[in-house]
Amino acid sequence: MGGAAGFVRPRQAAGAGFLLKTLFLLLLVRHVDSHCKILRCNSMYVASTSDLRGPNKSAAYCNALRSYSRCTRRMARTCRGDLAYHSAVHGIEDLMVQHGCSREGPTSPPRPPQPPAPDPQAFGSLDFCDYEKRFAVKHGRPPLYQHCATFGDPHVRTFHDEFHTCRVEGSWPLVDNNYLFAQATSYPVAKGSNATATGKLTIIFKNMKECIDQKEYQAEIDNLPAAFVDGSVNGGERPGGNSLTIHERVPGRHVEIRAAYIGTTIAVRQAGRQLSFSIRAAEEVARSFTEEQDLQLCVGGCPPSQRISRSQGSCSGGAIPAEKAHLLCKEKLPVEDIYFQSCVFDVVASGDTNFTLAAHGALEDARMFHPDARKLHLFQNNAACAHCGSYLFFFLLTMAIVSVLPPHF
């Protein structure tokens, strides 16, 4: 009895030996020669024996072993001298003896490769990079949006629907928050003029780990590319890379950048010798800045020292008469709102009729981007040169009355 306790039957010994060899094989996986594909045979064997059930289990197991053996024979030349390969060959022989399998007979048909299981984290990343969907899940309602634009002289319509005409020369931030930075660089439109126009725009979409790599877009006069600085047209190789895309609307004249991961769309246009910038941003994103980032033309408008009154100095001395500018702008902008007033101011100050296109493009962007159609048109008292004709009429009328009065009246 004592001897029997230490006795191991041949089949158990064979199974234990193959188990040891398999473990040894796994330890040597990293050392398998790149030309030896024994791991492919191992995977096929495991797949074909992982769910054997029913009365034909033994026959199916023998079929799998014969397939395993045939696979190793095909690898004989490339795996010669490979220890993992020879361990597998000897293990197969042991198992075939153990289960009474003949060397000749049917084999297991190869299983089609299974598609990888869905990665919940990847799907989560895609949803995370859809701002509208993410916001609706969190708050149970659609997000609110804000609109800002700069065009022409430049004129600035802020996120709060304030409107300023600025003399800002050099580089000024338009937007500067946790997700986005946009900067405009302006130059004088004419020698000795206070009026300026935007000649360069720089827009940086800041790195967002789950969605995009940091991307930079630059536009200059006569260079409105339909790609980011690195040549790409989306946010990179991350799961949510396509949540940032760039689209060319009119070659060399109109580009649109969509940043779905932050609920933001930006339009960049060129009209004549100036660039315009329009943005529709989720309110939550537009407000995500610190005290150190408070100098933003889209938030606070132009600093008071940089503001120009459109009713001062624009009714005379311009390159184009005010009356003609009025007619030119009326063709594109039938409503005499701030866009019309700005158009007249720009045409008179610069002598460039292309500024009518700049004001019209800004109005079209506002029509698309502003969340409240009732606020599309803004009206202000200082109507630039729009009323110069009225001033001239009253001046002439006064002079006529004076001329007919008695000398000693």
Side-chain angles (χ1 to χ4, degrees):
M1 294 292 292
F7 178 74
V8 180
R9 288 181 293 178
R11 286 190 177 185
Q12 289 177 327
F18 182 71
L19 177 61
L20 290 174
K21 291 173 183 176
T22 303
L23 291 174
F24 187 62
L25 169 69
L26 294 175
L27 290 174
L28 291 173
V29 163
R30 291 189 178 183
H31 301 285
V32 176
D33 184 84
S34 60
H35 298 291
C36 180
K37 306 298 182 183
I38 187 60
L39 294 181
R40 182 180 301 169
C41 299
N42 296 345
S43 299
M44 290 173 59
Y45 167 73
V46 171
S48 60
T49 58
S50 59
D51 58 351
L52 293 179
R53 295 182 182 87
N56 296 324
K57 177 180 178 180
S58 296
Y61 190 75
C62 287
N63 292 346
L65 284 174
R66 282 190 286 268
S67 296
Y68 194 6
S69 177
R70 180 174 296 178
C71 183
T72 58
R73 288 199 296 271
R74 287 198 298 267
M75 303 290 178
R77 178 174 298 178
T78 56
C79 294
R80 182 180 300 139
D82 187 274
L83 187 57
Y85 166 77
H86 290 290
S87 297
V89 170
H90 291 300
I92 293 169
E93 292 176 355
D94 290 344
L95 286 174
M96 292 187 76
V97 170
Q98 178 182 339
H99 290 274
C101 301
S102 62
R103 292 185 177 276
E104 302 297 330
T107 57
S108 298
R111 291 194 173 192
Q114 298 297 316
D119 182 357
Q121 188 173 0
F123 284 105
S125 297
L126 292 176
D127 284 342
F128 184 84
C129 298
D130 185 328
Y131 179 83
E132 289 190 352
K133 184 180 294 186
R134 187 172 78 242
F135 188 94
V137 169
K138 183 177 179 180
H139 300 282
R141 61 174 178 83
L144 300 177
Y145 291 94
Q146 295 181 333
H147 168 60
C148 169
T150 65
F151 66 97
D153 184 14
H155 311 283
V156 178
R157 179 173 184 159
T158 73
F159 284 136
H160 312 295
D161 293 320
E162 296 176 347
F163 196 89
H164 301 149
T165 296
C166 313
R167 63 163 56 91
V168 287
E169 187 174 348
S171 297
W172 290 76
L174 305 175
V175 178
D176 185 9
N177 58 47
N178 296 340
Y179 305 96
L180 179 68
F181 176 81
Q183 175 179 278
T185 302
S186 300
Y187 63 93
V189 297
K191 188 175 181 179
S193 172
N194 284 331
T196 58
T198 299
K200 180 179 180 180
L201 285 167
T202 301
I203 305 168
I204 298 175
F205 298 87
K206 299 179 182 180
N207 172 70
M208 194 168 180
K209 184 177 180 181
E210 299 85 352
C211 302
I212 68 155
D213 302 319
Q214 178 165 300
K215 293 291 179 177
E216 180 177 347
Y217 179 80
Q218 283 192 2
E220 297 184 70
I221 299 296
D222 297 330
N223 183 20
L224 210 67
F228 296 107
V229 170
D230 63 3
S232 63
V233 294
N234 65 8
E237 300 299 324
R238 299 184 185 184
N242 284 327
S243 62
L244 174 64
T245 54
I246 186 166
H247 308 269
E248 189 174 50
R249 296 303 182 203
V250 179
R253 287 293 180 266
H254 183 192
V255 166
E256 188 173 280
I257 306 173
R258 298 177 186 172
Y261 69 102
I262 53 173
T264 297
T265 304
I266 294 174
V268 177
R269 296 175 183 261
Q270 177 176 338
R273 306 299 297 170
Q274 69 88 42
L275 300 177
S276 63
F277 168 91
S278 294
I279 182 171
R280 176 182 186 260
E283 184 178 78
E284 184 181 49
V285 171
R287 293 180 175 178
S288 65
F289 59 89
T290 63
E291 292 181 2
E292 291 76 18
Q293 297 170 299
D294 62 348
L295 180 59
Q296 304 177 55
L297 298 189
C298 277
V299 174
C302 305
S305 63
Q306 299 293 320
R307 296 176 189 174
I308 300 175
S309 173
R310 294 187 303 282
S311 62
Q312 295 176 358
S314 56
C315 293
S316 62
I320 290 181
E323 291 77 7
K324 183 177 180 181
H326 187 286
L327 294 174
L328 290 170
C329 292
K330 196 71 173 178
E331 291 177 5
K332 295 286 185 183
L333 304 156
V335 179
E336 296 189 16
D337 59 359
I338 56 170
Y339 295 98
F340 172 82
Q341 297 167 17
S342 301
C343 174
V344 174
F345 178 90
D346 290 346
V347 172
V348 170
S350 68
D352 185 354
T353 59
N354 284 307
F355 277 92
T356 60
L357 301 176
H360 180 260
L363 178 61
E364 289 304 301
D365 288 338
R367 202 183 304 277
M368 293 292 296
F369 290 169
H370 201 288
D372 188 349
R374 296 170 298 178
K375 296 181 179 179
L376 174 63
H377 299 287
L378 295 179
F379 299 91
Q380 291 181 347
N381 292 330
N382 56 332
C385 298
H387 300 305
C388 289
S390 299
Y391 299 151
L392 180 61
F393 170 77
F394 285 115
F395 174 75
L396 293 176
L397 179 61
T398 302
M399 293 301 294
I401 292 172
V402 170
S403 66
V404 298
L405 288 175
H408 302 289
F409 179 74

